[in-house]
Amino acid sequence: MKVKVINKSKHGLPQYQTAAAAGLDLNANLDQDIELKPLERVLVPTGLFMELPVGFEAQIRPRSGLAFKHGLSVLNSPGTIDADYRGEVKVLLVNLSNEPFVVKDGERVAQMVIARHEQIQWEEVALLEDSERAAGGFGSTGK
Ligand SMILES: O=c1ccn([C@H]2C[C@H](O)[C@@H](COP(=O)(O)OP(=O)(O)OP(=O)(O)O)O2)c(=O)[nH]1
Ligand SMILES: [Mg+2]
């Protein structure tokens, strides 16, 4: 995949940490630390600019370790990177704990999953096909 990295601190390209990992860990690319107070959010730059093939998207997801230990999440999870986006990939971090969290340069703040997706064409119809579920939802099948 085409990629352009603005690498202020030489973090290299995002990597799969194990052989069959789904997520590529994303490093914060910072000039200085960012302190995130409780319930604060921040857009963390990654230094990564890429060109996804058409028909693919990238999903930005939290890392469970940071979520569990520090209450850190990705506010818009899963963030969506469109194939035609040419800007810098950024991570919208939120601190859901009661303690401040300091984001450091190079820290693996989130992970990115590359996935195929469809684009649909609308076809307007008068009637929709019947189904067993019909309009049932929101607990309609019981606990
Ligand atoms: O976590 C994210 C989410 C989005 N983006 C970039 C890539 C994406 O292609 C673009 C637009 O994202 P989205 O469609 O979620 O945002 P929007 O609020 O709908 O903005 P837009 O009107 O630009 O589509 O912003 C990121 O870098 N990180
Ligand atoms: Mg959008």
Side-chain angles (χ1 to χ4, degrees):
M1 187 187 320
K2 284 186 193 169
V3 71
K4 180 177 163 191
V5 182
I6 307 293
N7 221 348
K8 290 173 194 152
S9 49
K10 311 275 184 292
H11 304 311
L13 290 171
Q15 298 296 326
Y16 297 110
Q17 299 296 316
T18 59
L24 295 145
D25 281 353
L26 290 172
N27 302 95
N29 197 46
L30 305 174
D31 292 327
Q32 56 190 44
D33 294 354
I34 301 173
E35 192 191 41
L36 253 189
K37 297 199 174 66
L39 295 183
E40 270 187 353
R41 58 188 185 268
V42 68
L43 262 186
V44 178
T46 64
L48 185 69
F49 297 70
M50 59 186 188
E51 188 176 326
L52 287 162
V54 172
F56 287 78
E57 57 147 346
Q59 301 170 3
I60 312 294
R61 305 183 186 179
R63 290 187 65 208
S64 64
L66 288 175
F68 181 55
K69 290 179 202 151
H70 301 288
L72 211 66
S73 193
V74 174
L75 184 56
N76 57 329
S77 185
T80 305
I81 310 295
D82 301 289
D84 51 4
Y85 181 66
R86 299 288 179 269
E88 182 172 11
V89 173
K90 293 186 178 169
V91 177
L92 182 47
L93 279 186
V94 62
N95 180 358
L96 298 178
S97 77
N98 296 321
E99 307 286 332
F101 182 85
V102 177
V103 185
K104 296 210 157 60
D105 181 44
E107 187 159 7
R108 290 179 287 137
V109 289
Q111 58 188 320
M112 178 169 76
V113 174
I114 311 291
R116 287 180 197 273
H117 72 87
E118 303 293 335
Q119 260 197 358
I120 56 95
Q121 307 269 353
W122 294 110
E123 179 196 347
E124 285 199 56
V125 294
L127 285 174
L128 298 174
E129 202 68 41
D130 282 339
S131 75
E132 189 188 337
R133 172 175 288 278
F138 313 99
S140 69
T141 61
K143 271 194 180 177

